[in-house]
Amino acid sequence: MTIETEAPRPKDWIMAIAPYVPGRSTTDDGRKVAKLSSNENPLGTSEAARAGFTAHVRDLERYPDAGAAALREKIAAHYGLDPARVIYGTGSDEVLHLVAGAYAGAGDEVIFVRYGFAVYEIATRRVGAVPVIAPDKDYATDVDAVLAAVTDRTRIVFVANPNNPTGTYTAKAEIARLHAGLPKSVMLVLDQAYAEYLEDADDDGGLELAKSEPNVLITRTFSKIHGLAAERIGWGYASAAAVDAMHRIRAPFNVTTAGQTAAIAALGAKTFIENSRAHNIRWRNWLVEEIGKLGNAGLRVVPSKANFLLVLFEGSLTAETTYNALMDHGYIVRWLPGQKLGHGLRITIGTEEEMLGLVAALRDIVAQNTGELA
Ligand SMILES: *Cc1c(COP(=O)(O)O)cnc(C)c1O
């Protein structure tokens, strides 16, 4: 008998993944504080979605509809799509993993921007592919830099629009130029997790591209404006061939019954969605203005079209100091040193009360640390 000396060994490309760090909801000493770290909807969710969630409490022994037919029909009717070409996942995160699994493997390259969404790198490495980072243009997506990074090994390009964690937005003409410049064999994934926060004039054309172009996938989520982050429902739209490939590796019964019915109801909650968008625009504008009043403390806000702001600390007051001080004041925001944003804080737009309190805390912290505004 041989004696086991070695434990099972995970694949090298899996161990090269830096684990995803979720937004926190408690302080180091366990106090519960205002959570402005995960881009959740401060207005909660709609009553309709809540009712959808509880509609099947008597059916818990039944598997969910594996084909999510009612959800696909609802999404298709809402956006004018073919229900057969709607793919769905446990959050749009799963859809991002599905497209990586279907189109990239060992030795292939996957492009995304520096300061892009953390899941792209995880999804890329998970399948043994090589992440290729395109430099940004003052924190925004630089289409020329992305196109310059393309090689004959490129299989996927991930672009979030608006982007997380920067909030930056790439206009329709630029998205069209990006698509036109890519080889037809490269899948362009347009991650529209924050699309519902845009004003109508800011449609980036992604959905139209996904309708007609065989190499475009758009992804959407119920986690953000619909306020259903707990339920993990996301979806995507692509060609029939791409959806067929992704279904082959999708976990059976991946989206829950409660999640499906909540999401169907959420799409119909027009007033809630409009209120959420209006609240976000109002308080985002207000927060930009108030941070601008913090004097010469060196804070710079990256222009955002999402439900958060990336604030850069370019003076003597650091992001880390401010992050810790905000926690002491009862506010958790996102500090992202792991994404090379040690000099920035991402702040989710919260309730009115949270925004007023956050700015008061920021003024206090700036005064304490720089002598400004004292
Ligand atoms: C929040 C977010 C997602 C996905 O969230 P899910 O909860 O998995 O649907 C996807 N992309 C970006 C850019 C996000 O910020």
Side-chain angles (χ1 to χ4, degrees):
M1 198 179 96
T2 54
I3 294 174
E4 291 291 336
T5 54
E6 279 187 62
R9 194 177 134 92
K11 304 311 292 180
D12 291 341
W13 59 88
I14 299 298
M15 298 317 286
I17 294 173
Y20 183 83
V21 183
R24 297 174 49 170
S25 49
T26 55
T27 60
D28 291 331
D29 54 8
R31 280 179 299 127
K32 204 161 164 28
V33 291
K35 187 182 179 199
L36 303 173
S37 59
S38 294
N39 302 343
E40 295 151 339
N41 190 330
L43 304 187
T45 194
S46 60
E47 280 310 317
R50 250 186 261 281
F53 176 77
T54 54
H56 291 280
V57 288
R58 302 264 154 229
D59 305 321
L60 295 183
E61 73 281 15
R62 301 284 176 210
Y63 277 105
D65 174 10
L71 176 60
R72 287 187 296 103
E73 294 286 349
K74 179 73 184 180
I75 289 168
H78 192 86
Y79 293 100
L81 308 174
D82 173 0
R85 289 169 55 191
V86 175
I87 184 82
Y88 43 92
T90 49
S92 51
D93 282 355
E94 186 189 12
V95 182
L96 301 172
H97 281 287
L98 293 179
V99 72
Y103 288 96
D108 293 335
E109 293 175 356
V110 175
I111 301 173
F112 43 87
V113 295
R114 173 166 53 188
Y115 315 129
F117 184 44
V119 168
Y120 306 152
E121 179 159 354
I122 298 172
T124 299
R125 291 192 187 276
R126 179 190 182 184
V127 298
V130 180
V132 175
I133 311 290
D136 61 298
K137 190 162 62 189
D138 201 19
Y139 298 89
T141 298
D142 180 346
V143 166
D144 293 308
V146 172
L147 290 175
V150 173
T151 73
D152 57 9
R153 288 183 301 278
T154 306
R155 297 292 173 265
I156 299 173
V157 172
F158 283 113
V159 172
N161 200 28
N163 185 39
N164 173 14
T166 61
T168 53
Y169 174 73
T170 307
K172 184 173 182 171
E174 282 293 278
I175 295 290
R177 194 165 73 81
L178 171 60
H179 176 258
L182 286 175
K184 296 275 177 245
S185 59
V186 172
M187 184 62 84
L188 173 60
V189 181
L190 296 170
D191 176 343
Q192 302 183 322
Y194 302 97
E196 298 86 352
Y197 285 105
L198 297 171
E199 288 159 275
D200 291 341
D202 281 333
D203 172 23
D204 71 2
L207 203 51
E208 288 306 312
L209 281 176
K211 284 181 190 175
S212 59
E213 302 295 330
N215 66 330
V216 176
L217 165 71
I218 63 107
T219 61
R220 295 280 185 111
T221 181
F222 285 92
S223 301
K224 304 286 161 58
I225 207 165
H226 296 293
L228 284 175
E231 280 312 290
R232 317 301 306 119
I233 309 280
W235 60 278
Y237 198 71
S239 70
V243 168
D244 170 72
M246 289 187 278
H247 271 307
R248 289 164 196 262
I249 51 172
R250 178 180 60 74
F253 311 108
N254 59 334
V255 288
T256 64
T257 301
Q260 291 184 40
T261 49
I264 289 165
L267 264 189
K270 202 163 170 257
T271 307
F272 176 81
I273 297 167
E274 280 167 10
N275 289 345
S276 297
R277 184 187 300 118
H279 172 94
N280 186 64
I281 291 170
R282 174 173 173 209
W283 289 99
R284 188 182 64 207
N285 289 343
W286 182 84
L287 187 57
V288 171
E289 226 170 83
E290 290 298 318
I291 291 173
K293 291 182 198 161
L294 292 175
N296 300 323
L299 275 60
R300 174 159 75 99
V301 178
V302 176
S304 170
K305 297 222 182 211
N307 66 343
F308 57 85
L309 293 181
L310 178 64
V311 183
L312 305 171
F313 289 73
E314 298 178 330
S316 59
L317 177 62
T318 67
E320 184 177 14
T321 299
T322 308
Y323 172 74
N324 289 317
L326 279 174
M327 203 173 325
D328 290 340
H329 281 78
Y331 297 90
I332 290 196
V333 298
R334 195 74 161 267
W335 180 45
L336 293 161
Q339 284 179 252
K340 302 198 169 53
L341 278 169
H343 58 298
L345 295 180
R346 196 195 67 190
I347 305 174
T348 302
I349 304 305
T351 62
E352 170 171 355
E353 187 189 355
E354 287 166 344
M355 292 296 92
L356 296 171
L358 175 91
V359 165
L362 275 177
R363 291 180 65 86
D364 197 44
I365 293 161
V366 166
Q368 294 269 327
N369 286 274
T370 66
E372 294 249 353
L373 311 168

